[in-house]
Structures are given as structure tokens and as C-alpha cells.
Amino acid sequence: MERRFVVDAMLGRLALWLRLTGNDALYSPQTDDNELISTAQREDRILLTSDKDLYRRAEKTGITAMLVRGNVDSEIAQVFAAFGIPARVDPNTARCSKCNGPLTHLKGPDKERVRNLVHEQTYNYYDEFWLCEDCGSVYFQGGYWRNITEYMDRIARMISEMNNQSRS
Ligand SMILES: [Zn+2]
């Protein structure tokens, strides 16, 4: 069974990292509380919220919800720990961080599809790209990839610290 999420307007960074780690996470900053509740019900999604009132309402409605509080890093670590999400980004399973769309892996001659979507230098330099079929965003393992990896390492360390604390 696939676990899917809907994320409230305050948790944009969390939504981004859920998508990059391959989780289906709906997020739109314009979505109001009623829409969040009805989306969670209709699509059987777990509601992640930083709003206590919304959390209580969700629980009364019978929706699976999690109250997520703290700074951004700890919010991400809490949710990953709670749902056993590995803090690792694999571009072959990642979803588009911008729109939650699925990514298509393009390698070798298939990369032709992104020729007009990236700078020429980038196109020539990289052999592999990942294209979002919904919004046309293109991903490749450029300089920012290191930042992604470093950030996930940091979240992984926070999760293992949380686990150690709960054991002792
Ligand atoms: Zn997209």
C-alpha cells in the first residue's frame, strides 16, 4: 500500500524533501484547512500540519494526521523518523520537488528530450537527466546535488540522535 501525504501551507520545505525522497506529497500554499481535510479524506492521505487546531479537527474526522512542530530541520527529521523514510535521495525514485509529478530518467540518446530545457553547456556535460512529465522541470546531478546529499546526511544524523534518545 502506498503511503501518501498532504502537507499544510506552513510546511513547504517538508513537502519538498518528501517529494525528493520519493514520497507523494501534495502541497499548495493556497490550500485552506477545509480543502486539506477533504483532500486527506478523499485521497486517503496522511495530513502533516503545524497547526494544533487543524490537527485536532483532522483527528476528530478520523484522518491520520501528525502534528509537526519545531524548526525546519527537526520537522523533516520527525516526519522521516515517524514514517521510516530513509534520508536519501535517489533520482530514479524521486518526485518533482516543484509539483510532485513523476520523473522520467533520460540517459544517452534519450536526453534529446531536454535539449531545449537546459543550458547548452549543461546538456553537453551531463549524460543523465530526469524530466518531470507534469511541469517540465529538469533535474541532473549538478553542483546542487552535493548540497542535497549533505542535507540528507544531516537529517539522517538527527534521526539517529532522536532514536538514541528515545532508547535511553
Ligand atoms: Zn514538476
Side-chain angles (χ1 to χ4, degrees):
M1 194 188 72
E2 206 199 345
R3 174 192 51 210
R4 302 185 303 166
F5 299 97
V6 57
V7 178
D8 85 12
M10 301 298 291
L11 300 173
R13 299 297 295 173
L14 172 62
L16 181 149
W17 287 102
L18 282 170
R19 291 169 175 176
L20 285 175
T21 50
N23 296 279
D24 184 333
L26 289 185
Y27 167 77
S28 158
Q30 288 88 29
T31 311
D32 67 26
D33 289 2
N34 291 330
E35 281 176 77
L36 288 168
I37 297 256
S38 65
T39 302
Q41 275 180 319
R42 193 177 56 242
E43 302 185 14
D44 193 21
R45 288 176 182 269
I46 298 162
L47 174 66
L48 303 175
T49 179
S50 55
D51 178 339
K52 221 176 215 166
D53 293 335
L54 177 58
Y55 173 74
R56 287 213 192 93
R57 236 183 97 191
E59 290 235 295
K60 274 186 206 141
T61 326
I63 294 165
T64 307
M66 179 177 171
L67 185 62
V68 186
R69 282 267 165 101
N71 62 39
V72 173
D73 293 357
S74 95
E75 286 169 355
I76 292 167
Q78 282 167 51
V79 171
F80 280 34
F83 296 99
I85 298 166
R88 201 182 325 113
V89 175
D90 175 355
N92 292 317
T93 55
R95 301 177 77 94
C96 179
S97 65
K98 297 191 183 80
C99 81
N100 199 40
L103 301 182
T104 301
H105 185 195
L106 302 169
K107 202 180 167 180
D110 290 340
K111 76 174 185 175
E112 180 66 35
R113 282 187 68 197
V114 303
R115 184 187 284 279
N116 298 317
L117 299 172
V118 294
H119 291 295
E120 197 184 341
Q121 266 186 320
T122 304
Y123 182 80
N124 292 330
Y125 186 79
Y126 293 96
D127 189 46
E128 284 183 278
F129 293 89
W130 290 264
L131 171 67
C132 174
E133 299 288 354
D134 289 353
C135 78
S137 291
V138 178
Y139 297 80
F140 53 92
Q141 289 175 306
Y144 66 90
W145 193 258
R146 222 179 114 180
N147 300 341
I148 286 180
T149 308
E150 283 174 3
Y151 187 67
M152 284 290 95
D153 288 348
R154 181 184 160 143
I155 296 299
R157 278 195 301 276
M158 288 179 72
I159 293 170
S160 78
E161 278 163 25
M162 285 163 58
N163 290 339
N164 288 340
Q165 273 164 15
S166 63
R167 258 197 295 275
S168 59

